[in-house]
Amino acid sequence: MQLKPAAPGPSLVVCDTCRFSTDAREDEQGRRGGARLAAALRAVQASDPRYAAVAVETMPCLFACTEHCTVQLRAPAKVGYVLGRFTPDADAARALLDYAVAYAQSEHGRVPFKAWPEGVKGHFIVRIPPEGMLVE
């Protein structure tokens, strides 16, 4: 394993080796779901300047293998989240980016439930406290 520098601000880190679905490792063209989700995120991000402040990054295996199409949402000094079970398409990408924009604008990483895009509801797997901090 080797480490590489990550974006300094808010980012969506996509597991690019994630399964396509609970039943399939790859799509019909042999692409993993995580790679397709990363591509969808980048395409949607490029279509709307509102998403420019959120980096879309990839890495192999977030170790959430019982799920599929998994991402980590993180930013310095904010609670992070791991979300999964997405269909790797533009609708999921838009929901994730919309949530990430609200997350980036929040003080500590908490977005009020009423502001959640419908497409992220039911997809949260875990929340991660920021380094050196715990949630009260």
Side-chain angles (χ1 to χ4, degrees):
M1 175 175 65
Q2 291 191 329
L3 299 176
K4 66 180 182 178
S11 65
L12 284 165
V13 179
V14 184
C15 172
D16 61 5
T17 58
C18 263
R19 298 177 63 80
F20 178 73
S21 68
T22 54
D23 301 325
R25 185 178 178 119
E26 300 168 337
D27 67 8
E28 309 81 35
Q29 290 82 38
R31 290 185 65 200
R32 293 287 185 101
R36 282 190 46 177
L37 182 58
L41 282 161
R42 288 184 175 123
V44 170
Q45 182 184 44
S47 74
D48 191 330
R50 291 181 315 122
Y51 303 136
V54 177
V56 175
E57 302 177 290
T58 59
M59 68 174 264
C61 202
L62 288 176
F63 280 30
C65 301
T66 59
E67 310 302 333
H68 60 277
C69 294
T70 304
V71 302
Q72 179 193 19
L73 176 59
R74 65 184 188 177
K78 293 188 183 208
V79 170
Y81 300 94
V82 175
L83 300 92
R85 301 178 301 272
F86 290 101
T87 302
D89 59 21
D91 290 338
R94 190 167 292 102
L96 280 163
L97 286 162
D98 286 343
Y99 186 84
V101 167
Y103 168 86
Q105 295 168 350
S106 71
E107 183 179 358
H108 299 294
R110 183 184 170 276
V111 176
F113 184 76
K114 66 182 178 184
W116 290 16
E118 196 61 40
V120 300
K121 293 177 181 175
H123 291 272
F124 286 83
I125 299 168
V126 64
R127 82 179 164 165
I128 305 162
E131 183 177 351
M133 303 173 142
L134 297 172
V135 176
E136 291 188 301

